[in-house]
Amino acid sequence: MRSKVKRLAATSVAIVTAATVLAGCSGSSGSGSGAEGDTLTLWTHNAGNAAEYKVVQQIVDDFNASQGKYKVKIQAFPQGSYNDAVVAAASAKKLPCILDADGPNVPNWAWGGYLAPLDMSGSETAVADQLPSTVGTYNDKLYAFGHYDVALTMFARKSVLQAHNIRIPTIDKPWTSDEFTAALAALKAGGKFEHPLEMGTGGSGEWWPYAYSPQLQSFGGDLIDRSDYKSAKGVLDGPEAVAWATWFRSLVTNGYMAQKGGTSPNDDFLNGKSAIEWDGSWDAAKNAEKLGDDLAILPPVDLGQGPKIGGASWQWGMSATCSNKAGAQEYLKFSRKNQYFVDFAKATGTIPATAAASAQIPGYQPGGPYEIFTQEARKFAVVRPVTPAYPYISSVFEKTAKDILAGADPKKTLSQAADQIDSNLKSNNYYAN
């Protein structure tokens, strides 16, 4: 997701490569993997992300100091190589005991035998107190939980909207599709903005389904039929989806949005290059610092079937091959202390996963300027399809959406995408267990 890529920075954290792991440095034992007796290995994608890594390190240090039976040691990977390292280690049966996973990948990793179900009974609080999007389940079993989530939103300057006689929407009364189109037309006609809308079309990878499939869903379409997860036909290429694709392309043909945006869309917005930015909660504090009271945090547009945003971020789980599952579960339960939900949110500028943590984060308390993000996460979030097929669906949707922006026929392109997904589902026996 774009937020994570942006936050990578130089750090002194030791970076581990997949080759190192497969050479035997994962701490595997003969009876399983990820542990040498009561010493447990933990993998994280946060090498290069010093702020979030610091919280992980603090939890590990606190856990190790809190008892004498288990010891957790960290191995950190850069996000760009993390998933490949996990897949390679799983094939070699050298997964760690504890690992983080991007929320949309949890069903695939559970189905693939990477993750074991969790039992959080006896932890400080039950996962029921968390935002639904921060809990990773598959086949009605808990496999992972996260400390935070993020929310898509729109940023604008109040002064710019007011100067163009554009209503400032609220979470209870978002813009309709017609209002949004009229707003973009007014901003374009004003002459100051070549492209008044910035939606991050210069991004790649998971950003595309995360950012744009909620708009497809707001039109009434989806990536797959969620009633049984056995087909994309009729939902990814139905009339509602074609309407979304036609609208999506029109943003380019009408000059409202660049086919491929810049490499720093938030900086472009702050520098006045765009009037409205489709972005995420992770940039709120930075924007508020520069724009102050002129910053407008806007809910997503209601494109017909209610506003929608993507849900789920990074979560923690236990490998299925862990040779010391009791120790791994003890660590995971320990990590659910309220202070760590608070610490992660403060370090990353993200939405705390629990109401108790939100109450301790400046701006996220009831009535605070960032409470809108928690409200959006509760009211509008749609998790990406809970199916092991999701990684494939994601890659197909990215290419399809890019082709549509480049001028490909919406109906034909969406139909081809649905056929590709259905072929993948069939060839994998619909990912039956």
Side-chain angles (χ1 to χ4, degrees):
M1 189 185 306
R2 196 180 73 192
S3 61
K4 292 292 183 182
V5 174
K6 288 177 60 182
R7 292 192 285 116
L8 294 181
T11 178
S12 60
V13 174
I15 296 176
V16 182
T17 66
T20 301
V21 171
L22 297 183
C25 295
S26 67
S28 62
S29 69
S31 60
S33 68
E36 292 177 345
D38 290 325
T39 297
L40 315 174
T41 301
L42 175 151
W43 280 11
T44 177
H45 74 286
N46 281 309
N49 183 1
E52 190 165 349
Y53 180 88
K54 185 177 180 180
V55 181
V56 177
Q57 182 69 68
Q58 187 63 59
I59 299 172
V60 169
D61 290 346
D62 290 350
F63 175 74
N64 288 343
S66 72
Q67 43 75 51
K69 185 173 183 180
Y70 304 112
K71 181 179 179 181
V72 174
K73 61 180 182 179
I74 302 175
Q75 292 181 347
F77 296 74
Q79 183 179 331
S81 62
Y82 181 73
N83 285 350
D84 289 342
V86 170
V87 172
S91 297
K93 300 189 183 301
K94 290 187 176 181
L95 282 171
C97 269
I98 305 160
L99 67 165
D100 57 8
D102 198 3
N105 289 334
V106 169
N108 182 272
W109 288 10
W111 168 81
Y114 301 2
L115 299 177
L118 300 178
D119 177 8
M120 287 290 101
S121 60
S123 59
E124 184 180 2
T125 54
V127 294
D129 68 338
Q130 293 196 201
L131 289 170
S133 59
T134 66
V135 177
T137 61
Y138 178 61
N139 283 346
D140 299 321
K141 294 180 180 179
L142 173 68
Y143 280 91
F145 65 88
H147 291 85
Y148 57 81
D149 203 353
V150 290
L152 284 165
T153 195
M154 291 189 296
F155 294 114
R157 287 171 171 82
K158 295 176 184 176
S159 58
V160 169
L161 298 181
Q162 291 165 348
H164 291 80
N165 296 315
I166 297 170
R167 178 180 73 85
I168 297 177
T170 65
I171 197 164
D172 293 322
K173 192 177 180 181
W175 279 331
T176 64
S177 179
D178 288 345
E179 279 187 291
F180 186 47
T181 299
L184 294 175
L187 291 164
K188 178 74 174 178
K192 181 179 179 181
F193 305 100
E194 179 183 2
H195 298 112
L197 177 63
E198 171 59 74
M199 287 220 298
T201 52
S204 61
E206 186 58 25
W207 169 249
W208 280 74
Y210 176 71
Y212 311 127
S213 67
Q215 297 170 342
L216 163 67
Q217 291 154 352
S218 187
F219 264 89
D222 208 341
L223 297 170
I224 190 172
D225 184 344
R226 298 190 188 221
S227 65
D228 57 11
Y229 292 101
K230 289 186 175 180
S231 178
K233 298 298 288 184
V235 291
L236 183 55
D237 61 353
E240 296 85 0
V242 173
W244 161 77
T246 303
W247 167 83
F248 195 47
R249 170 62 180 167
S250 76
L251 297 175
V252 174
T253 56
N254 289 330
Y256 299 151
M257 176 182 78
Q259 179 182 326
K260 184 176 182 178
T263 57
S264 300
N266 186 240
D267 289 339
D268 289 343
F269 165 70
L270 290 176
N271 292 330
K273 187 174 180 179
S274 58
I276 300 172
E277 184 194 13
W278 182 231
D279 195 1
S281 52
W282 54 85
D283 277 327
K286 175 184 175 183
N287 293 348
E289 182 178 358
K290 181 163 185 176
L291 301 182
D293 291 340
D294 198 29
L295 176 66
I297 301 176
L298 314 177
V301 178
D302 182 351
L303 296 168
Q305 298 298 316
K308 310 291 182 185
I309 63 171
S313 191
W314 288 86
Q315 301 172 358
W316 293 96
M318 173 178 65
S319 71
T321 53
C322 174
S323 59
N324 195 330
K325 290 185 172 63
Q329 294 249 118
E330 284 302 307
Y331 171 81
L332 290 169
K333 291 177 183 179
F334 181 89
S335 75
R336 296 199 71 259
K337 289 185 177 181
N338 184 65
Q339 72 181 82
Y340 301 134
F341 286 92
V342 173
D343 291 345
F344 270 116
K346 286 183 175 179
T348 58
T350 50
I351 305 167
T354 66
S358 292
Q360 297 182 39
I361 306 294
Y364 280 92
Q365 305 98 329
Y370 305 142
E371 184 190 16
I372 184 175
F373 299 133
T374 304
Q375 293 175 327
E376 287 182 0
R378 290 195 179 279
K379 291 184 177 182
F380 305 147
V382 179
V383 296
R384 277 147 284 182
V386 186
T387 168
Y390 180 73
Y392 182 78
I393 293 171
S394 172
S395 64
V396 170
F397 181 80
E398 178 185 2
K399 183 181 184 305
T400 299
K402 287 180 176 178
D403 288 347
I404 288 167
L405 280 192
D409 177 75
K411 185 173 180 59
K412 180 180 178 181
T413 305
L414 290 170
S415 181
Q416 290 173 341
D419 287 341
Q420 290 169 2
I421 292 170
D422 282 10
S423 177
N424 176 269
L425 292 166
K426 185 177 180 180
S427 65
N428 285 281
N429 193 29
Y430 304 98
Y431 293 88
N433 291 330

